[in-house]
Amino acid sequence: MGYPAGPEDNAAWRRAPCGLLTAGTDGLIGQANDTFCNWLGYRHDELEGVTRFADLLPMGARLFHQTHWQPLLQMQGSIAEVQLDLIHRDGRRIPMLLNAIRRDGPEGYTDEIGAMVATDRKKYERELIDARQRAQTAEAGQRALNDELAREHRRKDEFIATLAHELRNPLAPFANVLEVLRLRPGDAALWDWGYEVLERQLGQLTHLVDDLLEVSRITQGKLVLRREHVELSDILASAVDAAMPPIRTAHQTLTTALPPVPLTVDGDRTRLTQIFCNLLNNASKFTPEGGAIGLTAMVVDGAIVVEISDTGAGIPPEHLERIFDMFSQLHAPLHRATGGLGIGLALVKGLTTLHGGTVTARSAGLGQGSVFQVTLPLVRSAPDSAPATATATRHEALRKSRVVIIDDNVDAAETLVLALDMLGHSAQCAYTGLAGLQLLERAAPDCALVDIGLPDIDGYELVRRVRAAPWGRDIVLIAVTGWGQEADRRAATEAGFNAHFTKPIDFTKLDVAIGELLRR
């Protein structure tokens, strides 16, 4: 009986991606490679020369080894693709696919055995069959999918082109006004006219960017509502005030019909106003000059139903199902064309859904006008103190404060100083983070407005240093930045900011925020 020498110096044999071993005429394992030992949890000295190959088999497999394995090797000299369980050192069974060749030598025969773990083989086979079936199913619908992808690609291209167009629209008047004022700097009437144009176009540009960010937050589930009990009449009044300028410009009539009793909604005042303002703007946009717009509110089956109707272009039946999709657009009348990105109605749907409501559209067809219906849950009894508290908060006299602005954009910093001074605050500015730190320590302000992208240390690091200093723990710190995603707000809070404002700033809201933060 002999023990095969085994390729002790063959690294490829020892580390092969399959288990390799040899067994002599007495059945003892002569050599086993690292792979085989690792799979079964043994050291080499626990197998080589001391363990028979058959000892690694469970009882049933040992019987097969005796009655089939050995006779087959004896008769044909090889065995291919036999699956047997081998016993792991910890007692587990490891299914393996085995191949064996018997080689004769001067001291007897040697069995050379190759082993592959077959644990996942059947699973892979099942997955392969399932994958084949899925592929066949997918192939059947591939043409429809390709068509849909092509449509999405066209919509993406149209959106990018429209976005460029919509950004150029307000930028062109900016350039024109600046050039006119440069040529006639002493004309007071032109300055008044230029101010109105710039304010209007800045509002349009800000609205465009805000809508894009709002839709992004909604689709990512990151928009948080600031809920309170609010009266629907207040919400609709605010929406009408905001939507009236384009309605007046188009000489359209707006008729409202509201119930005589108060209707209370549990929701975010700003977002609810945004819903109805967007719908009113949409109605005006698609209604020709001199047309009519209607706004009605009622209670139906215990819910608030608000309908906004118009006598405008109407909606083709094939567009009704997709009218609330992102970037879905209809063409406004040419003489009233105001463009748009096709995100207003998607934003309305997202905000309404967040409030637990629904929004639908109906139309008799092109030229027949349209009706948009918003349904919201009705709050049966709102706390009596809620409206009074809100009113008190809005109208409470705000203590004016000492403010420091830190921004590397000199124009932005100095104009903000001027605006805050006009609002009654005392403001100073610095243009780098380190200069801002020195000013904060020296001036000991009540509040600081800090840009994030500073040239030396960023706003986050600046705030961390302020909070670490004894003189900086009570300063109200407000981040003022062009980055307005939820992750940016979270990063500002984690750094130590009390609030986060996205440029361009609404000075009235900033003034109120400063007052509220200082009262805490």
Side-chain angles (χ1 to χ4, degrees):
M1 97 185 31
Y3 299 96
E8 296 179 358
D9 57 347
N10 190 332
W13 188 88
R14 292 198 307 272
R15 300 172 185 172
C18 62
L20 298 175
L21 66 152
T22 63
T25 56
D26 56 1
L28 287 174
I29 295 174
Q31 295 288 328
N33 71 349
D34 295 346
T35 307
F36 185 79
C37 291
N38 292 335
W39 278 347
L40 292 184
Y42 288 97
R43 300 190 310 271
H44 286 272
D45 59 5
E46 293 177 316
L47 295 178
E48 296 173 348
V50 295
T51 301
R52 288 178 171 80
F53 174 67
D55 295 338
L56 299 176
L57 302 174
M59 187 58 66
R62 290 184 189 182
L63 181 61
F64 175 85
H65 181 269
Q66 183 68 31
T67 59
H68 292 75
W69 178 284
Q70 289 288 6
L72 284 173
L73 282 178
Q74 183 67 34
M75 287 186 295
Q76 61 187 34
S78 65
I79 295 176
E81 297 186 358
V82 173
Q83 184 168 325
L84 296 175
D85 288 347
L86 272 70
I87 304 298
H88 190 277
R89 194 174 189 278
D90 62 11
R92 288 181 293 123
R93 293 191 178 199
I94 308 295
M96 288 194 174
L97 192 65
L98 303 169
N99 293 314
I101 294 178
R102 176 163 290 182
R103 302 188 186 280
D104 292 324
E107 298 183 6
Y109 64 80
T110 300
D111 291 339
E112 298 177 357
I113 303 170
M116 290 292 295
V117 174
T119 305
D120 297 327
R121 183 183 181 191
K122 291 184 178 180
K123 182 181 72 172
Y124 293 153
E125 289 174 350
R126 288 193 300 269
E127 290 180 353
L128 181 61
I129 293 172
D130 292 342
R132 186 175 298 141
Q133 292 174 343
R134 289 194 299 269
Q136 291 171 349
T137 302
E139 186 177 358
Q142 190 65 45
R143 181 170 299 178
L145 177 60
N146 287 340
D147 290 344
E148 181 62 27
L149 290 174
R151 283 194 295 271
E152 290 298 320
H153 187 69
R154 286 194 298 271
R155 289 174 65 191
K156 179 202 68 176
D157 290 344
E158 291 170 1
F159 165 69
I160 292 174
T162 305
L163 176 60
H165 175 268
E166 290 301 307
L167 290 174
R168 290 192 188 101
N169 273 344
L171 292 178
F174 268 79
N176 295 340
V177 167
L178 292 174
E179 181 62 19
V180 168
L181 295 180
R182 186 183 68 82
L183 294 174
R184 295 174 62 178
D187 192 326
L190 273 180
W191 277 93
D192 290 340
W193 164 82
Y195 170 81
E196 292 178 359
V197 172
L198 293 180
E199 184 178 45
R200 186 165 56 251
Q201 296 302 322
L202 178 62
Q204 181 178 337
L205 186 60
T206 303
H207 182 74
L208 172 68
V209 175
D210 286 346
D211 276 0
L212 282 170
L213 292 175
E214 296 290 4
V215 172
S216 173
R217 292 190 190 105
I218 290 173
T219 55
Q220 297 177 49
K222 295 180 178 179
L223 187 67
V224 178
L225 299 180
R226 298 181 179 178
R227 289 183 176 273
E228 59 178 324
H229 285 186
V230 294
E231 292 300 324
L232 180 67
S233 57
D234 294 341
I235 297 298
L236 295 179
S238 298
V240 168
D241 287 344
M244 280 308 296
I247 292 176
R248 292 194 187 98
T249 300
H251 307 290
Q252 297 161 344
T253 59
L254 173 62
T255 304
T256 61
L258 304 179
V261 296
L263 302 179
T264 304
V265 181
D266 179 29
D268 188 311
R269 181 184 300 272
T270 300
R271 305 306 183 188
L272 289 169
T273 303
Q274 199 172 1
I275 290 171
F276 297 113
C277 183
N278 276 12
L279 289 175
L280 287 169
N281 285 333
N282 189 73
S284 176
K285 174 181 174 180
F286 287 95
T287 299
E289 291 190 5
I293 299 171
L295 171 63
T296 63
M298 65 198 84
V299 176
V300 179
D301 296 331
I304 296 174
V305 176
V306 179
E307 289 190 346
I308 295 176
S309 59
D310 63 68
T311 59
I315 305 171
E318 64 272 16
H319 283 275
L320 279 173
E321 293 184 1
R322 304 199 314 269
I323 196 69
F324 294 101
D325 291 348
M326 188 70 166
F327 312 136
S328 177
Q329 290 180 304
L330 298 178
H331 296 293
L334 288 178
H335 60 288
R336 292 265 299 120
T338 57
L341 289 176
I343 59 178
L345 292 180
L347 183 57
V348 166
K349 181 178 180 180
L351 291 174
T352 303
T353 301
L354 287 177
H355 282 87
T358 60
V359 58
T360 58
R362 63 181 187 270
S363 173
L366 287 175
Q368 302 298 311
S370 57
V371 179
F372 287 84
Q373 184 183 87
V374 176
T375 302
L376 294 168
L378 172 65
V379 176
R380 289 298 181 183
S381 57
D384 294 336
S385 60
T389 301
T391 303
T393 299
R394 289 195 297 272
H395 296 290
E396 182 181 342
L398 302 179
R399 179 176 69 84
K400 300 308 177 183
S401 58
R402 293 165 294 122
V403 183
V404 164
I405 295 100
I406 305 172
D407 196 326
D408 61 328
N409 186 321
V410 176
D411 290 339
E414 292 182 350
T415 53
L416 188 52
V417 167
L418 182 61
L420 289 171
D421 283 342
M422 290 180 177
L423 291 172
H425 300 281
S426 174
Q428 304 177 66
C429 62
Y431 309 118
T432 67
L434 295 177
L437 279 173
Q438 295 174 358
L439 179 57
L440 287 171
E441 184 175 8
R442 183 173 68 252
D446 303 303
C447 175
L449 309 178
V450 183
D451 185 26
I452 299 300
L454 296 170
D456 43 9
I457 59 172
D458 64 29
Y460 301 132
E461 176 61 23
L462 184 149
V463 168
R464 282 190 282 268
R465 295 189 187 184
V466 171
R467 292 303 189 211
W471 51 263
R473 293 170 185 167
D474 297 327
I475 298 176
V476 169
L477 297 172
I478 299 176
V480 178
T481 173
W483 301 101
Q485 295 285 12
E486 186 61 31
D488 304 308
R489 298 177 185 276
R490 186 166 56 252
T493 301
E494 292 172 353
F497 281 105
N498 300 100
H500 181 285
F501 269 75
T502 304
K503 298 177 181 178
I505 301 174
D506 184 320
F507 294 122
T508 302
K509 292 181 180 178
L510 176 62
D511 190 31
V512 172
I514 291 174
E516 291 179 346
L517 289 168
L518 289 176
R519 281 197 302 272
R520 290 181 180 176

